Amino acid sequence: MQMLAIFFDKVRRNPHFSLKYKYMSLLKASFFSGLLLFCATFGANAQNLAALPPFYDAANAWVDSIMQSLSPEERIGQLFQVAAYSNRGPEHEREIKRLVAEYGIGGVIFFQGGPDRQARQVNSYQAMAQVPLLVSLDGEWGLGMRLDSTISFPYQMSLGAIQDDKLIYKMGLEIARQFKRIGLHVNFAPVVDVNNNAANPVINYRSFGEDKELVARKGMAYMHGLQDGNILTSAKHFPGHGDTDVDSHYDLPQINHDINRLRDIELYPFEQLMINGLGGVMVAHLNIPALDARPKQPSTLSNPIVTDLLQKELGFQGIVFTDALNMQGVAKYYEIGRVEVEALKAGNDALVFPQDVPKAIAAITAALKSGELQQMDIDRKCRKLLLAKYWLGLAEAHSVERQSLYQDLNTAEAHLLNRELVAASLTLIRNRNDILPFKNLESKRFLALSISKNGQRTDFQNMLGRYTKMDYANLKPDASSSQTTALRQKLADFDVLVVGLHQLQSRPRNKIIYNQAVQDLLTELSASGKAVIVALRNPYTLDKIKGIEKAEGILVAYQGNKVSEELSAQMLFGAIGSSGKLPVTINKNFPFGFGIETKGGLRLQYGAPEEVQWDGGWLEMQLDSIVGLGLEAEAFPGGVLLVAKNNKVVYQKAYGHHTYDKQIATKTDDIFDFASVTKITGPLPALMQLHGVGKFDLEAPMSAYWPDFEGSNKADLTWRNVLAHNARLKAWIPYWTSTVPWWNKWLLKKPLKFKKNTFAMDSSAMFPIKVSSQLYLHKDYRAKMYEAIKKSPLNEAPGYLYSGLSFYLYPDMITQMTGREYETYCKDAVYRKLGAYTITWNAWQHFPMERIVPTEQDTFFRQELLHGYVHDEGAAMMGGLSGNAGLFGTANDLAKIMQMYTNMGAYGGEQVIPEASMREFTAYQFREAGNRRGLGFDKPMLENRESGYVAPSASESSFGHSGYTGIFTWADPEEDLVIVFMSNRVHPTRLNRKVYAMDIYQKLHEICYAADRRKVPTMNK
């Protein structure tokens, strides 16, 4: 009866049996039926519910033949897992080969090194082995735990925060793939210790968390992924290393809980994994009096623990691995050789990291002769290991293919999975007044402070800077009081302080290595009412910062690698959401299971092509080829290409240099002259806003908003016709030529002589408008430009003709309709709302010149290299502040505008432009007349798509514009696709039209559609 009660209690405690045995209550009501089932399944000894390991096969011809070929001594050798390193010299490698050849060791466990070096050694060792070697590795977070040039997935505490266990299963499957690719067979993972001791020095961040159910669930997902990928799992550290405060690498930890507590907490995850087919267990070096009362008795060497508890009571039939036998938890108390004998007597199957194989084998042989050990036990263990080898495919010899090994271990899909895991782990634990994600960017001044080891700009700060204007400060953890005082004075000028607490050790320990001055500063910032703290480190450390719970926002990111830093920054701005829950208790303010969920998708996310199911390698190859041909042909000296799909920037790359002398390499955050792209990014968003609130009527005549046109040939032209380039307006007026005397034009005399009251070489009250570095326009000349537009004749033929004339008028119109200066209105009502702070007129006033890409070497008007000054002559004569040209900015900030347009006016959780206006302005206007234009926007060709500069595959809902200086941008709402290509093709001369002759824009654009058509399956599918 008691045994049956235990059986049903285990069923009740196992969530995975709830469906399989959903009628168990009926079975329990029938004692007889329950007894039959119990006895038939588990036998009279009431062994636990442990399922058979995946490699179990009672009859196996290959195993039988190998067993028959091995001598008793060679069977002993099969039990050894010897430490191997691929970063050590030839002497170490020769020693491993000697152990393989002379002692027939059963396997090796690799530690530090590199993938290619390890693959070479695996092939070499396997070629020598009489019986294929079992090759193992401690890969709790993947190959990156031991090998350089490989991927490190998140630590298990990060995984403990993830709510979707399918992601952890996929990680296990991917780690299995990588293990198999490099010739590995066993992963000593997962750690299923319940970390209920925050001071644990050795498990800690390696545990999924403090809750037994969570640890069991996450561990099971990881285990299934590994074993479904045909890698043997070894859960550790049995019977549970979580509640310790001593590192067993250096001494023997003691656990003083009673048997009931151990069964309820520590053993629970191991039981659950065993129930579900666990293949291996690693036994820890622990002293547990409740299980074995002998003083200083390590659990690894304890028969009551390994044999009686693990194998008999719990019924585990998989492989029992010792923890490393060189660790002081055992080595400190036993002689070399004696440790291995005691380990086998305790019931272990595999001896991991023996200190001296010859001594150990000699000691085991002596123990067999004395009767202390039995050959039948050695044979049983050997057979079990051979069964595992057969399941792992070792019956068939094969070597590790070293060609393309790095690429195969570092696939884009694996990196994408890593990003997904990190993003899903982010845990928001404080969000006062919904400060996150950040809103109203136009009204906030941001400063990003990082406390990091080297005190330099961090990846976290760089990603924050992609979203809005960001000032930066950096502190080292040992900053002086004078340094923190100076920083305090600077912080007072900002509305939001984003504070990154960076990981200072090689692992996210639970210690905080900040001096008192820095800790005092953090306490003060937390109480300032404007701090958002991001802990890129062990969550336990937050409890060590006094008053941190008073911060406006706190995000836990668990570890401080580049991926964690960048995704944390993206979460703060709402590009991705937060869904993680604390896997451990920090303190009473932040208990286990706590986490605040937020939604993503508010702003552009920065990721990889694979996130939208594009083949990133193919995409980069194609785009690089097209841009490379342009560079080679000198179609432009350099450029920046950005592609966004599904609200994600999936490609952003800088090419070439600012000029052909190759002195300054182009960077992705360089500032370019937008040229005519200004039309759709300067006046147009303002006009759409005004249209949305009824202040701008498309059917109104031009004279309604420009009264000076009353009585002119333009008075009755509607703004719809004007914006659609359907109003018979002249294409352009070369205003500057009217300022040059006729004789100077004909003689081409240089420097140019200008008419009186037009230009001067120095500024004054009469000549205040700066046109270039040494040329100033008369204060009244703008009126003459307006008059020239008014008096210009209309084209006789009706229909489409591209004209920039009306765009000179919009700045004044917008100022009159809004009551605010044009530039101020555009920046406040549009750009700053988007966080697009680099978009501005007159770049020379706002940015260092080395960040601005120069355009033309002007040889006929301003007679200088145009650098920071608008290229377009007419816009220059408007003081650089015009509607037809004049804007400068980065590709990243232009993409924000285009993504907002793609979203039909929405961005950052705000409807920046009314949707109805967006749809009206981006639609074909006079299609029946053969006009392809929207209102201000360009649209795809109506016929002969291949003849245009836009991808033939672009949908009819798409729109965009190009700029004379070498700019192209296009948005496709139907495909949620944005492209931005920036170059300075007019350098050194506008006569260079190769970018058009080579169809660079169209080819780049079409590749994006081709990438979408050839979507590749992702790990999410």
Side-chain angles (χ1 to χ4, degrees), residues 144 501 510 596 829 831 868:
L501 307 181
N510 59 351
I596 302 167
Y831 311 146

Side-chain angles (χ1 to χ4, degrees), residues 154-165 167-168 207-210 214 217-218 421-429 539 556-558 578-584 592-595 597:
Y155 300 131
Q156 287 190 193
M157 188 170 286
S158 300
L159 302 178
I162 295 174
Q163 299 305 293
D164 183 3
D165 293 342
L167 283 174
I168 300 172
S207 167
F208 289 112
E210 69 178 40
L214 177 139
R217 192 171 67 249
K218 307 294 180 185
L421 289 161
V422 173
S425 73
L426 297 178
T427 307
L428 185 63
I429 60 174
V556 180
Y558 301 96
S578 65
S579 61
K581 306 292 182 185
L582 283 177
V584 295
F592 165 81
F594 181 67
E597 295 188 19

Side-chain angles (χ1 to χ4, degrees), residues 3 88 114 219 235 247 260 308 333 475 504 622 705 748 764 902 923 998 1013:
M3 292 179 181
R88 295 188 178 179
D247 187 342
N260 292 327
D308 295 343
Y333 303 99
L475 271 185
L504 306 179
Q622 298 297 321
Y705 302 117
L748 299 177
S764 64
T902 304
M998 298 175 71
R1013 287 192 295 267

Side-chain angles (χ1 to χ4, degrees), residues 238-239 259 263 288-294 297-314 342 345-347:
F238 185 86
I259 187 65
R263 292 186 188 280
I288 311 173
L291 298 178
D292 191 330
R294 289 176 290 175
Q297 180 63 36
S299 49
T300 333
L301 313 184
S302 169
N303 187 275
I305 293 174
V306 179
T307 295
D308 295 343
L309 175 61
L310 175 59
Q311 294 175 310
K312 291 183 179 179
E313 181 179 340
L314 300 180
E342 292 294 329
K345 285 172 60 180

Side-chain angles (χ1 to χ4, degrees), residues 95 127 346 579 588 617 624 626 921:
E95 174 60 16
S579 61
K588 65 179 182 180
D624 280 1
I626 295 167
F921 276 66

Side-chain angles (χ1 to χ4, degrees), residues 691-750:
H691 173 268
V693 295
K695 290 187 177 182
F696 180 57
D697 184 359
L698 291 168
E699 309 308 330
M702 288 191 78
S703 58
Y705 302 117
W706 199 267
D708 191 52
F709 279 7
E710 189 69 46
S712 74
N713 59 357
K714 298 170 186 64
D716 297 327
L717 299 176
T718 68
W719 288 104
R720 183 182 296 278
N721 277 276
V722 170
L723 281 166
H725 302 281
N726 205 59
R728 297 164 55 211
L729 295 178
K730 285 186 64 177
W732 67 298
I733 297 174
Y735 305 104
W736 74 273
T737 59
S738 64
T739 66
V740 181
W742 65 268
W743 53 267
N744 194 280
K745 294 179 190 177
W746 286 105
L747 295 176
L748 299 177
K749 190 173 181 180
K750 295 180 181 179

Side-chain angles (χ1 to χ4, degrees), residues 136 182 210 224 230 278 284 459 566 569 575 593 702 717 787 896 916:
S136 310
I182 200 171
E210 69 178 40
H224 282 312
N230 198 222
L278 177 64
D459 293 319
E566 292 186 346
M702 288 191 78
L717 299 176
E787 187 68 13
K896 294 173 187 176

Side-chain angles (χ1 to χ4, degrees), residues 1-14 28 38 42 45-49 263 271 275 313-314:
M1 287 291 291
Q2 184 180 8
M3 292 179 181
L4 191 59
I6 293 172
F7 164 71
F8 281 117
D9 179 64
K10 293 185 181 297
V11 172
R12 175 186 60 78
R13 291 164 59 195
N14 176 18
K28 188 176 181 180
F38 174 69
F42 304 101
N45 290 327
Q47 292 184 349
N48 200 275
L49 300 172
R263 292 186 188 280
E271 289 183 358
I275 289 169
E313 181 179 340
L314 300 180

